[in-house]
Amino acid sequence: MQTHNDAVVPFVFESLPVRGALIQLEKSWRRMQLGHTYQSSVLETLGHSAAATGLIAQSLKFDGTITMQLNGDGPLAMLVMQCTSELELRGLASAHDLESQASFEELVSRARCAITVDSGAMERPYQGIVEVTGDSLADSLENYYERSVQIPSHIQLVSEPASCGGILLQQMPGKACPVEDDWRRLGMLAATLRPDDVSPGIGIDLLAHLFAEDDVRVFKPKAATFKCRCSKKRAEDVLRMLGAEETNAACEEKGRVDVTCEFCGRTRSFDAIDISRLFSDHVAAGSKRIH
């Protein structure tokens, strides 16, 4: 049976009010690591966050973006993962004072997880915040769904340097499983997902392996990809925030100013003419607004 790489495969159980999705990321996950050197525990958590954000984004019914942020006072200073409703992902992490064999609990000590849903159609973004608890990111996200969205969920996430993935099971809104043991059983089966299960790709065979006793209806897979939203305009905005004096001083020192995107590593260079035009245009625009 055909398997899919860098994809999300949605599905539902025929006899239970439960929906789900599988995700596998390979090329997009490797591209996300390009230019970064992460310690093993940070890399695993970043992979988990990529899979989780993709699983959340695939259920959006509108054009928008999911942003997952982990911030705390512990070794993991910051983690940001974004995924659009078109399953375009980008992400990065920053850690310090980290022991090589640090556990997830040590990595994210005193951290919070914020999930922001943003769309141009929304008056303001929706954000839910939960403490990072338990032995994994999946535990915290299950807590997020229980508290912020009131949707019982089972989540299992896996990550290796070559690929990452996961599975999300959710009870249909307003429809609890008629037999609680069925919901518990599905959660135990989902928890058996391992990196070797998703690394070759995902599809019907994997679902049949995980849920051999259940009838599952599988929908068309959705392709996922790495895509950064950096642009020349965003780089110019960074220089405007820095200010004309500091930008010109930096340009005089090196003959140019380089702005590098931390997500994709692309560098955009601005010489003295570019900078002069940038700030003269900025002043002109401000003048037009005044008059």
Side-chain angles (χ1 to χ4, degrees):
M1 195 65 66
Q2 184 180 8
T3 58
H4 305 277
N5 298 87
D6 289 275
V8 172
V9 177
F11 60 91
V12 296
F13 290 86
E14 295 282 17
S15 58
L16 295 169
V18 177
R19 64 189 178 191
L22 277 168
I23 188 170
Q24 192 263 22
L25 303 173
E26 184 180 24
K27 290 182 180 179
S28 53
W29 170 227
R30 293 178 182 179
R31 176 61 182 85
M32 211 176 293
Q33 300 173 52
L34 195 64
H36 299 278
T37 303
Y38 295 116
Q39 290 180 277
S40 58
S41 56
V42 178
L43 184 63
E44 181 179 54
T45 302
L46 189 67
H48 287 180
S49 70
T53 308
L55 286 169
I56 297 171
Q58 62 86 30
S59 63
L60 291 178
K61 306 301 183 186
F62 52 83
D63 292 337
T65 302
I66 298 290
T67 301
M68 180 185 297
Q69 289 181 272
L70 274 69
N71 296 94
D73 300 325
L76 185 64
M78 177 272 295
L79 183 152
V80 179
M81 185 65 60
Q82 293 181 325
C83 185
T84 70
S85 49
E86 298 298 316
L87 298 183
E88 298 168 342
L89 293 119
R90 67 175 187 169
L92 57 85
S94 175
H96 53 76
D97 301 328
L98 181 63
E99 296 182 5
S100 58
Q101 300 301 318
S103 66
F104 175 80
E105 187 176 7
E106 293 168 335
L107 178 68
V108 300
S109 61
R110 303 183 300 280
R112 288 191 170 190
C113 176
I115 297 177
T116 306
V117 182
D118 194 6
S119 166
M122 300 170 66
E123 184 175 342
R124 61 172 60 89
Y126 166 80
Q127 185 177 78
I129 300 177
V130 294
E131 297 288 341
V132 180
T133 57
D135 297 327
S136 67
L137 179 62
D139 290 340
S140 299
L141 294 176
E142 288 179 1
N143 185 36
Y144 162 79
Y145 272 112
E146 187 71 35
R147 291 178 52 186
S148 299
V149 193
Q150 288 80 52
I151 298 178
S153 305
H154 292 309
I155 302 172
Q156 177 71 358
L157 304 170
V158 296
S159 177
E160 291 183 322
S163 68
C164 63
I167 187 169
L168 168 66
L169 301 180
Q170 293 184 319
Q171 293 188 24
M172 300 286 194
K175 297 180 180 180
C177 275
V179 180
E180 181 61 28
D181 284 348
D182 282 332
W183 178 240
R184 190 177 301 111
R185 174 179 62 84
L186 293 181
M188 293 174 64
L189 293 173
T192 65
L193 187 73
R194 295 293 179 263
D196 288 347
D197 295 325
V198 303
S199 57
I202 53 174
I204 296 175
D205 285 354
L206 177 53
L207 288 170
H209 170 70
L210 290 172
F211 308 108
E213 299 179 8
D214 300 278
D215 292 327
V216 178
R217 188 195 318 167
V218 181
F219 299 101
K220 183 179 179 180
K222 306 174 184 178
T225 186
F226 174 90
K227 186 175 181 179
C228 191
R229 292 181 290 158
C230 66
S231 64
K232 181 180 179 181
K233 181 180 182 304
R234 289 173 186 254
E236 290 174 343
D237 289 341
V238 170
L239 297 181
R240 289 191 182 100
M241 291 176 62
L242 186 63
E245 184 176 345
E246 289 192 43
T247 302
N248 280 305
C251 184
E252 288 176 7
E253 183 178 342
K254 296 179 60 177
R256 70 179 191 277
V257 177
D258 295 331
V259 180
T260 301
C261 175
E262 294 185 12
F263 285 100
C264 69
R266 178 172 179 176
T267 298
R268 290 178 170 85
S269 297
F270 299 83
D271 60 20
I273 296 175
D274 295 326
I275 294 169
S276 175
R277 183 184 300 115
L278 172 65
F279 285 100
S280 63
D281 290 347
H282 186 56
V283 171
S287 177
K288 289 179 182 178
R289 284 195 296 268
I290 291 173
H291 297 290

